[in-house]
Amino acid sequence: MRASDRPSPIGISHTRRQLACIAAVLAGTFLGAVLLASVAATSAHAQTTAPGEVPAATAPASPAVKGAKKTDDKPYVVLRAEEASYDQKKGVVTAKGKVEIAHNEMVLRADTVVYDEKADKVSATGNVVLLETTGNVKFFDHAEFTNSMKDGVVEGFRMLMQDNSRLVAARGTRTGGVVTILEKAVFSPCNLCKDDPSRAPLWRVRSARVIHDSEKKDIEYKDAVLEIYGMPVFYTPYLSHPDPTVKRRTGLLAPTYGSDSDFGGILKTPYFWEISPSEDLTLTPQLMTNQSPMLAGNYRRRFSDAVLEIDASGTQAERENATGSRIGGSDTRGHFFAKGTLNHDSIWRSKLKISHASDDTYLRRYKFPEPEQATLVTSLNTEGFKGRNYAQLSAYSFQGLRATDDPGASPLVLPYAEYHYISDPESNGAYLTANSSLLAITRDEGTDMRRLALDGAWNLPYKAWTGEVYSLSASLRGDLYSVDQVEVSPGNSKSGVTGRVMPQLMAQWRYPFVSAEGAAMQMIEPVAAVVVAPGGGNPTKIPNEDSLTVEFDDTNLFDPNRFSGVDRFDGGQRFIYGVNWGLYGDAGGTVEAFAGQSHSLKENADFSQSSGLDGKASDIVGRLRVSPGSWLDLLYRVRYDPDTSTA
């Protein structure tokens, strides 16, 4: 035998040709393995990806790939093995011993990989493992690929998916680079029992054959059986659905079934219609054994500068009395929800929300999502943002779903307009603010109100050379009301025009003291403020629509107006004091605390007893924030009443 005929280790003299052959092997091996095993992921993802949604983001590449590089965006191939040789006469490349091949961002591992150049055949044997960028891990006992990797066979196929689901098949084949078939496949998302891994999982699906057509993008199941704890409970001779590369396609979605004490047996069979790439409709008939059918629909449309979504349902329900007995006849029941956003330009946008139900109990009875406050809100809003200024115009109507709600007392808010202005600061830091609002509330029963509110303020921040920080503000507010049927006392109501003009001055001082404490910095900062304004700014003829509740805590202790809205003015004279403390570590950890209280010269009857502001001395409010790093914030707030010693 001549030296050139003997298999020789890869060396410098044969580097170019051998590396070219090995590169072909690696690229082909990956192509065939990935295509052959791709059906595994489809079973899980096709069931969890809704129309129009995108599957979960891919996982990071294996550490073995990180050392590999690619240039000019061209695919790369990296080989690692204990031994690699090339038989020039036979045209065979062999890699043995902990073979690891990286191609793009996937890794193939095996005991032995052989490429027969003449037969166009690639074989991987022994502990074959394929790591994908999706996070899925695939295992084979043996894999062979031919016909430029278009045809292939794998034995002993197993797959561990990113969500810990598992798929097992005895054998897999691929033909023409298009059709992949898994024989005797089993899929389950359940974890195996730690004490007895051979025990059947909670549920699994067995299929005699799974077929994936990559051109048609379809997955078919033949003779599929659903098993629960190893016992077969449901059989279907045939099942088909799109593969995960198909994000949206017209067709039936997975049906659901169940039972209810009122409706009896329930069957839902959704149908998805892809009207266009940016538009779809899902219709869901709901069949019930003890009640008339119900039809629900969801319509979605995305425009270049807008988005629209509509949810609706309807049924002809049989009439019942208060005890639930049927009394004959039927009522039309249903709901209509719609929401949309239109971006006019870089400044203006509009939002639409429509919420309506035929009656108070329909959403709850048919198990549709209900609003958190048991009130349906319909609104139309247009708003604009420019610099530090903001403007909005909106309208609202409400539908209460509680039995105690009075539809006649439900308000119609039309219009509600606001404009907020902040000027550029002057050379000394002073700046102006201006706020205005227009509001009209109409009811069939009860109080009607029209309000125009204007306020402006001059603000001056100042830092003294000693380190003290001051903030001064002077504001003037004027409100004009036109009201009907305002209850000024029990059984006594008034109508007419009223108003108020309220000036207010506020001065705030703070003085931070900072010291170094080893690897941390400590700060102690006393804070104080004085607010001066006339009292009696809330006559009974002015209704209270937007300031019914006051959430008093550390966030609004130093606010000039502690009411949540415009209808109530926080007048009188008061002194506010508190202290900030902070410990800031060099590594980024932070601990901050605050405690404070306000004291008024006179009691303010406009605050409720539960607000913490009804007496001269307010409740003490505090805050504690612990942040070991940028990844975690722990925040605790407290309000303590010294008179009752309760928090």
Side-chain angles (χ1 to χ4, degrees):
M1 178 181 292
R2 294 177 301 176
S4 59
D5 296 333
R6 295 194 303 268
S8 57
I10 293 180
I12 299 176
S13 59
H14 303 98
T15 299
R16 291 187 178 179
R17 183 173 181 182
Q18 292 163 353
L19 289 181
C21 294
I22 293 174
V25 175
L26 305 182
T29 300
F30 261 93
L31 178 61
V34 173
L35 293 177
L36 179 62
S38 63
V39 68
T42 61
S43 299
H45 288 295
Q47 300 175 38
T48 59
T49 303
E53 293 182 349
V54 179
T58 58
S62 166
V65 182
K66 293 181 179 178
K69 300 180 180 179
K70 61 178 181 177
T71 58
D72 300 330
D73 296 327
K74 295 180 180 179
Y76 60 83
V77 178
V78 174
L79 168 67
R80 294 175 183 173
E82 294 179 347
E83 179 183 347
S85 63
Y86 175 57
D87 189 324
Q88 295 180 346
K89 184 175 181 180
K90 295 180 179 180
V92 176
V93 178
T94 304
K96 296 181 179 180
K98 297 182 181 179
V99 182
E100 185 171 298
I101 304 170
H103 178 243
N104 286 341
E105 294 186 347
M106 292 182 290
V107 177
L108 177 68
R109 294 171 180 168
D111 293 340
T112 304
V113 175
V114 178
Y115 174 53
D116 189 334
E117 186 177 11
K118 295 181 179 180
D120 190 17
K121 180 179 178 181
V122 177
S123 300
T125 306
N127 300 313
V128 184
V129 181
L130 178 65
L131 291 81
E132 296 183 325
T133 58
T134 60
N136 299 331
V137 184
K138 300 172 183 177
F139 306 87
F140 315 102
D141 293 337
H142 179 72
E144 290 186 359
F145 306 100
T146 59
N147 189 22
S148 299
M149 309 305 158
K150 295 181 180 179
D151 301 331
V153 176
V154 297
E155 301 288 346
F157 174 84
R158 287 98 62 202
M159 178 175 176
L160 178 63
M161 302 180 192
Q162 188 178 13
D163 59 357
N164 287 327
S165 298
R166 293 167 172 84
L167 179 67
V168 179
R171 177 184 174 88
T173 61
R174 183 171 182 80
T175 305
V178 175
V179 178
T180 302
I181 301 175
L182 292 179
E183 303 285 352
K184 298 180 180 179
V186 179
F187 168 77
S188 177
C190 306
N191 293 325
L192 299 178
C193 179
K194 294 182 179 179
D195 298 332
D196 184 10
S198 62
R199 182 181 177 184
L202 174 61
W203 70 270
R204 62 189 176 190
V205 176
R206 289 185 178 272
S207 180
R209 177 175 290 187
V210 178
I211 304 172
H212 175 216
D213 191 319
S214 59
E215 287 187 349
K216 296 181 179 179
K217 301 185 183 302
D218 286 329
I219 299 176
E220 299 177 353
Y221 300 83
K222 301 292 183 64
D223 295 328
V225 178
L226 172 64
E227 296 181 356
I228 297 181
Y229 286 119
M231 298 296 293
V233 297
F234 179 78
Y235 166 80
T236 178
Y238 178 81
L239 177 66
S240 175
H241 61 74
D243 71 18
T245 62
V246 178
K247 303 304 183 291
R248 303 162 68 246
R249 179 189 286 182
T250 298
L252 288 171
L253 304 179
T256 59
Y257 60 92
S259 61
D260 184 89
S261 58
D262 294 330
F263 297 145
I266 303 173
L267 174 64
K268 297 181 181 180
T269 56
Y271 180 81
F272 176 75
W273 178 20
E274 183 188 4
I275 302 174
S276 71
S278 60
E279 183 181 18
D280 59 49
L281 173 66
T282 303
L283 296 175
T284 307
Q286 178 173 314
L287 305 178
M288 298 162 282
T289 57
N290 294 345
Q291 190 56 270
S292 301
M294 187 265 292
L295 178 64
N298 173 262
Y299 173 80
R300 302 183 299 181
R301 176 72 185 272
R302 183 175 293 277
F303 305 86
S304 59
D305 52 4
V307 62
L308 174 66
E309 182 174 357
I310 299 174
D311 282 294
S313 69
T315 183
Q316 285 291 121
E318 297 184 44
R319 298 181 62 192
E320 299 176 350
N321 57 21
T323 63
S325 302
R326 298 179 181 178
I327 58 178
S330 62
D331 291 326
T332 300
R333 306 181 70 184
H335 84 283
F336 183 85
F337 292 169
K339 60 182 179 180
T341 302
L342 172 62
N343 297 305
H344 302 279
D345 51 37
S346 60
I347 297 176
W348 295 96
R349 70 180 180 187
S350 296
K351 294 182 178 180
L352 169 69
K353 181 181 179 182
I354 300 175
S355 302
H356 179 75
S358 59
D359 53 80
D360 293 348
T361 62
Y362 175 78
L363 296 174
R364 181 168 57 255
R365 180 174 174 80
Y366 285 87
K367 296 179 174 57
F368 288 101
E370 296 183 74
E372 295 181 0
Q373 303 299 327
T375 301
L376 298 179
V377 180
T378 296
S379 62
L380 176 62
N381 170 266
T382 298
E383 58 186 353
F385 306 81
K386 188 173 183 180
R388 291 177 289 179
N389 306 316
Y390 172 77
Q392 71 90 16
L393 174 64
S394 55
Y396 298 88
S397 68
F398 306 89
Q399 179 187 359
L401 300 181
R402 291 181 288 259
T404 56
D405 289 332
D406 182 4
S410 180
L412 172 64
V413 181
L414 177 67
Y416 176 40
E418 290 181 297
Y419 178 71
H420 302 278
Y421 168 80
I422 301 177
S423 72
D424 293 329
E426 301 291 339
S427 58
N428 60 355
Y431 63 94
L432 299 175
T433 61
N435 304 293
S436 62
S437 66
L438 177 66
L439 174 67
I441 297 178
T442 306
R443 295 180 175 90
D444 293 335
E445 304 171 8
T447 302
D448 294 344
M449 179 189 75
R450 277 74 58 190
R451 181 190 74 198
L452 174 63
L454 302 170
D455 74 76
W458 173 83
N459 306 273
L460 175 63
Y462 174 73
K463 295 181 181 179
W465 66 271
T466 56
E468 297 167 284
V469 181
Y470 295 90
S471 177
L472 307 175
S473 67
S475 63
L476 180 64
R477 174 171 157 185
D479 304 328
L480 179 64
Y481 286 81
S482 173
V483 297
D484 295 318
Q485 301 299 315
V486 177
E487 186 175 7
V488 296
S489 61
N492 182 23
S493 60
K494 290 185 178 181
S495 301
V497 178
T498 187
R500 62 190 170 194
V501 176
M502 303 295 291
Q504 189 177 60
L505 299 175
M506 180 175 179
Q508 183 173 321
W509 166 89
R510 60 180 64 234
Y511 199 173
F513 296 90
V514 180
S515 64
E517 301 289 342
M521 181 180 67
Q522 181 178 197
M523 181 199 71
I524 298 177
E525 181 186 52
V527 187
V530 176
V531 180
V532 179
N538 300 302
T540 56
K541 197 174 181 180
I542 294 180
N544 186 5
E545 297 284 356
D546 61 7
S547 302
L548 295 174
T549 60
V550 176
E551 295 291 339
F552 176 55
D553 57 24
D554 62 285
T555 62
N556 60 1
L557 173 64
F558 286 89
D559 285 355
N561 187 6
R562 293 167 293 185
F563 285 104
S564 56
V566 176
D567 289 333
R568 287 295 176 265
F569 180 78
D570 192 0
Q573 296 79 42
R574 65 183 184 273
F575 178 66
I576 312 167
Y577 44 88
V579 60
N580 279 305
W581 174 83
L583 185 64
Y584 307 92
D586 294 343
T590 300
V591 180
E592 293 179 332
F594 170 80
Q597 187 182 30
S598 70
H599 195 285
S600 301
L601 297 184
K602 294 183 179 180
E603 294 185 359
N604 193 336
D606 294 318
F607 291 108
S608 65
Q609 293 183 355
S610 61
S611 66
L613 295 167
D614 54 308
K616 290 184 178 181
S618 74
D619 290 353
I620 298 174
V621 293
R623 175 188 71 247
L624 175 65
R625 186 177 78 91
V626 179
S627 178
S630 59
W631 47 273
L632 178 64
D633 272 332
L634 300 176
L635 184 64
Y636 175 75
R637 283 191 168 96
V638 64
R639 198 180 83 194
Y640 174 75
D641 187 349
D643 296 332
T644 61
S645 299
T646 57

